[in-house]
Amino acid sequence: MATYAIGDIQGCWAPLERMLDRLAFDQAVDRLWIVGDLVNRGPESLRVLRFLRDLGDAASIVLGNHDLYLLMVAAGLKRRDSDDTLYQVLEAPDRDELIDWLACLPLLKVHGEHVLVHAGLLPGWTVTRAQALAAEVGTALGGARARDFLLNLAGNRPERWSDGLKGWDRLRVIVNALTRLRFCTADGRMDLRAKGAPHKAPPGMMPWFSVPDRFSRTHTVVCGHWSALGFYREPGLIALDSGCVWGGKLTAIRIEDDAVFQVPG
């Protein structure tokens, strides 16, 4: 049995298929950890969604920002971007089943000493705290007011977390941190506009994982989202977005021995 964490797929079925062949992935005994952004911009989001859904317990998956975008579009709450590639999903006969399955996925999962999340964790959040906050979002997304939640999800404010936040502002900060975070200040103020490489951090900002004494250093965070960072490892961090959808590579790492596998995007 082996566990493979895989970076942002974004609807790129062919590279995923090549990766699974290279890994000799066996659904009966192996496990996949998928760090979000299953869909969009690549040409075969529908095939990716169907495959991952059908893996059942063989896959551990968290939501990314593009997956949440699909949920908003499917609910009729957001105008489609000119470069999205979700038409196959939105017109599929099993569209509703796929959307319902996607909406039930969490924003964060803990597997022993590893934390699976799309983007990152704010420096003042312990893993236990982040897990509880992610669960708040899961309750909202799966509850009677899910449509209201999606309607109020977009936006960059508030820019920082506070225990006193309530309502949609509270949930929006949690979602933004877990699915969009790249740069923040030492005290956790986020810059959600900057997308460049770490050395291009805005003034006063740094990569979220570089904040000294961030509380989540108790675990290894396995994430994606940051294609300008690329595949990157340091103690306590495995970043897997190597720009597959942009012509880069799809990256996987075997958790048991840190072996790295890459295929062309």
Side-chain angles (χ1 to χ4, degrees):
M1 175 178 174
T3 303
Y4 300 98
I6 297 181
D8 304 40
I9 301 167
Q10 292 198 241
C12 296
W13 167 255
L16 177 60
E17 188 175 39
R18 286 195 294 271
M19 177 64 78
L20 296 173
D21 288 344
R22 182 170 177 186
L23 301 176
F25 175 74
D26 184 347
Q27 179 179 346
V29 294
D30 297 330
R31 296 294 178 264
L32 294 183
W33 292 356
I34 308 296
V35 298
D37 276 5
L38 318 182
V39 300
N40 203 17
R41 297 215 170 106
E44 295 186 87
S45 292
L46 178 60
R47 195 165 182 181
V48 170
L49 283 180
R50 285 173 172 167
F51 171 76
L52 293 177
R53 176 198 59 185
D54 293 345
L55 284 179
D57 292 340
S60 182
I61 306 170
V62 295
L63 291 171
N65 53 301
H66 281 277
D67 309 316
L68 290 168
Y69 165 80
L70 170 56
L71 294 178
M72 288 187 282
V73 169
L77 301 174
K78 185 174 179 62
R79 181 178 299 175
R80 291 177 60 185
D81 295 337
S82 61
D83 60 349
D84 91 23
T85 59
L86 297 175
Y87 56 92
Q88 290 181 339
V89 177
L90 296 170
E91 296 174 4
D94 55 345
R95 159 200 162 125
D96 291 345
E97 292 87 347
L98 289 168
I99 294 299
D100 289 346
W101 169 78
L102 195 67
C104 290
L105 296 177
L107 267 65
L108 181 146
K109 282 195 170 187
V110 178
H111 294 284
E113 297 179 351
H114 292 84
V115 180
L116 194 63
V117 68
H118 181 59
L121 279 72
L122 288 174
W125 289 353
T126 65
V127 169
T128 300
R129 181 65 164 149
Q131 193 172 21
L133 295 173
E136 290 185 26
V137 175
T139 298
L141 192 54
R145 299 192 67 192
R147 185 176 178 86
D148 289 337
F149 165 71
L150 292 171
L151 180 63
N152 288 278
L153 181 56
N156 294 341
R157 295 182 180 277
E159 297 178 331
R160 69 171 77 233
W161 171 255
S162 166
D163 288 341
L165 285 173
K166 299 182 184 301
W168 306 128
D169 282 352
R170 179 182 179 90
L171 295 177
R172 191 182 308 112
V173 172
I174 298 169
V175 170
N176 283 343
L178 298 178
T179 68
R180 298 178 60 202
L181 178 63
R182 295 183 181 95
F183 296 106
C184 65
T185 60
D187 63 354
R189 180 172 61 85
M190 297 181 284
D191 185 324
L192 297 171
R193 296 171 296 276
K195 299 180 179 181
H199 70 275
K200 296 182 178 179
M205 298 278 170
M206 66 189 81
W208 67 267
F209 52 81
S210 297
V211 174
D213 301 320
R214 62 177 170 88
F215 289 179
S216 56
R217 290 189 184 276
T218 54
H219 291 64
T220 295
V221 178
V222 185
C223 61
H225 182 61
W226 199 345
S227 60
L229 173 65
F231 171 60
Y232 178 75
R233 281 185 294 181
E234 65 175 44
L237 178 75
I238 303 172
L240 292 168
D241 184 1
S242 44
C244 175
V245 75
W246 305 116
K249 298 177 180 179
L250 184 66
T251 298
I253 187 167
R254 189 163 55 212
I255 297 300
E256 288 78 11
D257 61 0
D258 289 334
V260 177
F261 307 85
Q262 292 187 314
V263 299

